């Protein structure tokens, strides 16, 4: 009876996670349909909702299957490398054998990151394209044409779905604080991009209703946060310069991706782009500081408990006595 109840709870948890993941992807599909020019949903609202739900279910299933397949393929190698790392090394052996498990774990980590990037760049656009085709075959009003719009729409779906999943994680006790920090970083980046469009001449959004401009800014911030990296270098200030340069390149790519979006995000010239990247980096500083404090608190060892059986000789004891 206990085993059956545990299995039931496990299945319920997996089902709830799948529903939440599909809902997050549905938010991404809806945002992409609102922003990308060549991705349109027409007809009655009910049929549009049905098309979004069907497309989101297909994209979520494909992305989950691809991620699960890569994890399943990598899991035996990771376990083997960790087992080798846990073994006591031969002190008289060569250095190559001593550091072999560490190198293997680093290589496997790089392969896992590469697999995640491939899923992001290939599975999401292709699954979205196939999902729209399935909706069209089912008579639902969905249309997505063009290679570049398909690619950009897939990235938007992945970015907005990640942000929506972060928002849903706010309501969990274990992940609420981390989700709040991540969501604050997205909102701060969106606010900094809006400020850059107001104070910098080369950064601007095409005229559109306020809600569409806000959606475009939030989508750009979600794309900005999708390839998340952290960097620490021993020389003060160098890491910040490298991160601002990386953010500048990333913002330029986002502006290029928004060429097929409405409203379009423009960046005219290098210095306005660099200024916008610097503003976004500075605005995100509180979120990075909070994340660093959280990591430091998690890495801090627990305080030592007092000895429940102190010595009964009555004399002070310690390293100085």
């Amino acid at each position: 009876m206990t085993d059956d109840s545990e299995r039931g709870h496990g299945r319920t948890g997996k089902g709830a996670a799948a529903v939440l993941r599909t809902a997050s992807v549905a938010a991404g599909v809806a945002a992409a349909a609102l922003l990308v020019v060549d991705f349109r949903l027409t007809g009655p609202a009910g049929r549009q909702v049905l098309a979004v739900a069907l497309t989101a279910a297909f994209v979520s299933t494909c992305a989950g299957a691809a991620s699960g397949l890569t994890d399943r393929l990598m899991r035996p190698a990771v376990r083997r490398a960790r087992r080798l790392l846990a073994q006591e090394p031969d002190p008289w052996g060569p250095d190559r054998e001593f550091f072999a498990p560490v190198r293997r774990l680093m290589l496997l980590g790089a392969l896992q990151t590469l697999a995640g990037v491939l899923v992001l760049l290939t599975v999401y656009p292709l699954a979205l394209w196939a999902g729209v085709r399935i909706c069209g075959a089912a008579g639902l009003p969905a249309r997505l044409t063009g290679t570049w719009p398909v690619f950009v729409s897939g990235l938007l779906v992945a970015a907005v779905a990640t942000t929506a999943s972060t928002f849903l994680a706010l309501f969990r006790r274990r992940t609420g604080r981390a989700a709040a920090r991540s969501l604050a970083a997205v909102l701060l980046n969106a606010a900094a991009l809006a400020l850059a469009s107001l104070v910098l001449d080369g950064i601007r959004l095409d005229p559109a209703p306020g809600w569409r401009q806000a959606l475009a800014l939030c989508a750009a911030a979600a794309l900005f946060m999708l390839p998340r990296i952290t960097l620490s270098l021993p020389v003060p200030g160098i890491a910040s310069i490298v991160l601002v340069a990386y953010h500048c390149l990333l913002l330029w790519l986002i502006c290029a991706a928004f060429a097929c979006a409405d409203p379009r995000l423009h960046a005219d010239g290098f210095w306005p782009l660099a200024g916008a990247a610097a503003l976004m980096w500075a605005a995100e500083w509180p979120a990075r500081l909070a994340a660093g404090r959280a990591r430091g608190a998690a890495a801090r060892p627990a305080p030592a408990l007092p000895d429940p059986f102190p010595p009964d000789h009555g004399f002070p004891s310690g390293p100085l006595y």
Side-chain angles (χ1 to χ4, degrees):
M1 186 68 179
T2 305
D3 295 339
D4 294 339
S5 62
E6 289 180 356
R7 291 176 183 175
H9 286 302
R11 292 174 182 174
T12 303
K14 291 181 180 179
V19 170
L20 292 177
R21 184 170 60 248
T22 304
S24 301
V25 175
V29 172
L34 289 171
L35 291 176
V36 179
V37 175
D38 294 321
F39 185 15
R40 284 292 176 261
L41 301 175
T42 57
R47 293 176 64 83
Q48 292 185 21
V49 171
L50 185 58
V52 168
L54 180 59
T55 305
F58 185 79
V59 173
S60 178
T61 302
C62 292
S67 300
L69 179 61
T70 55
D71 291 342
R72 195 173 295 111
L73 291 175
M74 298 289 293
R75 193 177 299 128
V78 173
R79 288 179 179 175
R80 193 179 306 113
R82 289 177 178 174
R83 195 181 305 116
L84 291 175
L85 187 63
Q87 294 177 359
E88 185 176 357
D90 184 10
W92 306 105
D95 293 341
R96 182 180 180 85
E97 294 182 1
F98 184 81
F99 291 103
V102 178
R103 289 196 302 268
R104 185 173 298 179
L105 278 177
M106 293 177 62
L107 177 61
L108 291 174
L111 289 177
Q112 286 179 334
T113 303
L114 181 61
V117 172
L118 289 177
V119 169
L120 176 66
L121 297 180
T122 58
V123 174
Y124 273 95
L126 292 177
L128 180 63
W129 176 81
V132 171
R133 290 295 182 272
I134 292 173
C135 289
L140 296 175
R143 180 179 63 86
L144 177 59
T145 58
T147 303
W148 186 245
V150 168
F151 181 73
V152 173
S153 298
L155 291 183
L156 279 174
V157 169
V160 177
T162 302
T163 305
S165 299
T166 303
F167 175 75
L168 294 176
L170 285 173
F171 305 100
R172 302 175 190 170
R173 181 175 300 178
R174 292 184 300 175
T175 59
R177 292 184 178 180
R181 290 190 295 268
S182 299
L183 194 61
V186 175
L187 295 178
L188 288 172
N189 277 306
L193 191 56
L195 179 63
S197 65
L198 292 176
V199 301
L200 297 177
D201 293 335
I203 305 296
R204 69 183 191 279
L205 271 174
D206 287 341
W211 66 270
R212 289 187 65 88
Q213 289 188 337
L215 179 62
L217 290 173
C218 291
L223 282 172
F224 191 80
M225 295 293 296
L226 194 58
R228 187 68 173 162
I229 66 168
T230 56
L231 183 64
S232 60
L233 296 174
V235 182
I238 299 298
S240 300
I241 296 174
V242 173
L243 285 177
V244 169
Y246 168 74
H247 289 170
C248 185
L249 175 62
L250 190 59
L251 187 58
W252 177 74
L253 292 174
I254 291 172
C255 292
F258 265 68
C260 59
D262 182 27
R264 183 177 177 181
L265 179 63
H266 298 269
D268 302 330
F270 171 76
W271 291 113
L273 190 67
L279 277 176
M280 297 175 75
W281 175 84
E284 196 191 343
W285 182 263
R288 286 198 303 271
L289 187 62
R293 288 179 178 176
R295 287 193 298 267
R300 189 180 303 123
L305 297 177
D307 188 2
F309 303 103
D312 55 357
H313 49 66
F315 294 99
S317 60
L320 300 180
Y321 293 93

